[in-house]
Amino acid sequence: MKAYDIAIIGAGASGLAAAIEAKRTAPQKSVAVFEHLPRVGKKILATGNGRCNLGNLNADTHAYTNRSFARHALTEYNAESLIDFFESMGLFTRADGEGRLYPLSNTAASVLDALRFECERLGVQFFCDYKVSTIKKTNSIFNINGEYSAKKIIIACGGKSSPAQGSDGSGYPLLKNFGHSITPLAPALVQLVTDTAKIKALKGVRASAKLTLSTGGEAKGEILFTDYGISGIAAMDLSRFVCPDKKAILTIDLLPDFDVKKAKSAVFAAAKHNPGLGCEYLLGGLVPKALGTAVIKSALGFLPKTAKEISEESAKKIALELKGFTLTLKGTKSFNDAQITKGGADVRQFDAHTMMSKTVANLYACGEILDVDGACGGFNLAWAFASGRLAGKNAATA
Ligand SMILES: Cc1cc2nc3c(=O)[nH]c(=O)nc-3n(C[C@H](O)[C@H](O)[C@H](O)COP(=O)(O)OP(=O)(O)OC[C@H]3O[C@@H](n4cnc5c(N)ncnc54)[C@H](O)[C@@H]3O)c2cc1C
């Protein structure tokens, strides 16, 4: 049976980062990475619409779930450290106005290449097309599928989201078999499914909005109306707050920078300015035309023919609707469409300073398999890289 010092299960962002950090910490130790897809890091290629938003300058202060657990990794391996980590492999980055980090090449493939070439340079051994389905520990040695052994194991299998990219949830049973608990799992950073009666004519319409859920949670940014509900960055961010079993009302503020008074003045002024204007054009200076029409219909129950029919009272109703266009939330799209998994291995059973299990010595976990998640903007890869590096360093040191 081939024996390794450190075995890493999963060659995604966190697994590759763990492998690099382990080898850099202890070059003499043997490190193997087991990946059930035919190639390593497939998901990285799909990130950031093929551009890979690999981190965020504000990740160390971002509101992750289980933030207090995540803090240590994100402080030790903060944005500066992440930039240096990639520069040490020859990959340079740039930040956009919101602190989102991208490779200077603007292609996700160059991020994956940097990671895998560094692994190869350091002598990490890859086993692709190799699914790990059982890990047993006997006399302090881990046995993988009855075929390989390792002194240390790092579980970096990701969650259940986007299974086409390898993360099919098969990492959870590996941890469960060691007595670890898994908190409830749900798709997140995923599109919202709503009642569509009010938005039937809006497919493809984009707007800038603030979204609020009646059960708690809000998000601001671009939204995209679809034939099933709402997509766009703000909708994806809000999905982290959706409780699958609770009915909720989604309120869309289409003029987040206006108060109701200012919105009413704008609507009434537009009506007064051109009384002969068709009402479908009335809100054209505030929101896209089709959305304006839907808002007026929802506010007044019908679409008046021309602007001269808009009274001050109607203008107020329209303004209130612009500030609070509501839809009934039915849920979210599935794990197949989700960027991340909400929930995961209970972080109370892991040491935040090392990523090692508190109950099974020399068993580590990192990345999305743990119950830590962040908003869109590079925060999830930042967590994957930081926690992977922390696990890799500690597995190689201890
Ligand atoms: C379309 C899309 C776009 C995204 N864009 C961004 C973005 O721009 N910025 C950002 O921060 N985040 C983004 N994310 C989220 C981010 O990709 C993940 O949070 C991150 O990849 C998690 O890293 P990980 O290593 O924990 O898991 P994964 O990247 O999922 O890697 C897990 C690996 O383990 C392998 N594996 C699983 N089970 C087994 C097993 N039993 N045996 C062997 N191998 C196994 C899988 O095949 C996979 O390669 C995006 C996600 C998606 C789906």
Side-chain angles (χ1 to χ4, degrees):
M1 187 180 295
K2 183 91 177 115
Y4 291 91
D5 291 310
I6 301 169
I8 299 170
I9 319 300
S14 66
L16 294 172
I20 291 169
E21 206 65 37
K23 265 298 198 185
R24 286 182 176 182
T25 306
Q28 75 286 2
K29 292 198 172 163
S30 55
V31 175
V33 182
F34 296 90
E35 167 57 53
H36 69 167
L37 291 184
R39 60 170 301 171
V40 305
K42 187 177 175 205
K43 191 185 283 177
I44 293 172
L45 297 174
T47 57
N49 286 324
R51 293 192 302 139
C52 188
N53 176 194
L54 58 86
N56 193 296
L57 294 181
N58 308 310
D60 48 343
T61 56
H62 179 64
Y64 289 90
T65 48
N66 289 317
R67 161 89 213 145
S68 59
F69 174 82
R71 189 174 50 229
H72 185 81
L74 290 161
T75 307
E76 184 162 346
Y77 298 108
N78 62 12
E80 202 185 327
S81 165
L82 181 67
I83 292 166
D84 290 347
F85 180 63
F86 277 105
E87 278 193 16
S88 74
M89 299 176 237
L91 186 110
F92 288 80
T93 54
R94 65 173 178 84
D96 71 7
E98 293 184 47
R100 293 183 284 232
L101 286 167
Y102 289 92
L104 208 52
S105 63
N106 236 0
T107 56
S110 58
V111 176
L112 175 55
D113 285 347
L115 293 165
R116 69 189 177 96
F117 292 146
E118 183 65 356
C119 283
E120 284 167 16
R121 186 187 75 82
L122 292 166
V124 172
Q125 189 157 0
F126 286 123
F127 292 88
C128 287
D129 264 327
Y130 191 93
K131 184 171 186 116
V132 174
S133 34
T134 58
I135 304 175
K136 288 187 179 138
K137 192 179 182 193
T138 328
N139 301 331
S140 79
I141 295 293
F142 293 94
N143 180 307
I144 301 160
N145 285 357
E147 292 179 330
Y148 298 94
S149 72
K151 294 177 190 155
K152 312 272 175 81
I153 290 268
I154 302 176
I155 309 284
C157 295
K160 274 182 81 172
S161 50
S162 200
Q165 267 117 15
S167 41
D168 59 357
S170 62
Y172 300 121
L174 299 177
L175 284 175
K176 269 190 183 169
N177 286 343
F178 284 108
H180 277 279
S181 312
I182 308 298
T183 62
L185 305 171
L189 299 194
V190 65
Q191 302 86 346
L192 302 175
V193 179
T194 68
D195 178 30
T196 53
K198 273 160 89 171
I199 58 170
K200 269 203 164 62
L202 298 182
K203 187 178 170 190
V205 172
R206 289 174 194 278
S208 211
K210 181 178 158 199
L211 305 180
T212 310
L213 266 189
S214 58
T215 46
E218 56 181 49
K220 216 171 161 183
E222 192 183 74
I223 58 167
L224 169 69
F225 290 92
T226 67
D227 50 6
Y228 55 79
I230 314 279
S231 181
I233 284 188
M236 310 279 269
D237 276 341
L238 196 74
S239 67
R240 291 176 62 218
F241 302 101
V242 172
C243 310
D245 309 326
K246 278 196 202 160
K247 285 216 156 167
I249 299 295
L250 171 66
T251 301
I252 308 176
D253 180 349
L254 293 162
L255 294 177
D257 300 325
F258 284 33
D259 57 17
V260 175
K261 197 171 158 205
K262 187 171 172 188
K264 186 201 136 183
S265 304
V267 174
F268 198 49
K272 284 272 161 220
H273 179 69
N274 189 355
L277 188 71
C279 267
E280 65 272 33
Y281 296 101
L282 183 67
L283 304 184
L286 297 170
V287 292
K289 182 185 154 207
L291 184 53
T293 304
V295 165
I296 296 173
K297 278 188 188 163
S298 178
L300 306 181
F302 70 109
L303 182 71
K305 221 166 170 188
T306 58
K308 71 167 176 286
E309 293 169 60
I310 302 295
S311 64
E312 209 169 335
E313 199 194 326
S314 308
K316 180 153 187 206
K317 282 188 185 161
I318 293 169
L320 286 169
E321 196 69 20
L322 281 165
K323 293 290 296 168
F325 187 74
T326 57
L327 297 171
T328 303
L329 187 78
K330 290 185 165 170
T332 67
K333 295 281 258 182
S334 71
F335 281 107
N336 289 338
D337 304 289
Q339 288 195 4
I340 59 160
T341 305
K342 188 168 93 169
D346 192 330
V347 296
R348 290 171 298 184
Q349 298 171 326
F350 287 86
D351 179 348
H353 293 82
T354 60
M355 296 289 129
M356 191 170 86
S357 164
K358 287 181 180 171
T359 50
V360 183
N362 299 326
L363 173 71
Y364 297 76
C366 56
E368 199 176 311
I369 196 163
L370 289 164
D371 182 8
V372 173
D373 63 86
C376 290
F379 298 106
N380 290 294
L381 280 173
W383 164 247
F385 290 130
S387 58
R389 292 172 69 193
L390 188 60
K393 183 186 84 170
N394 281 288
T397 312

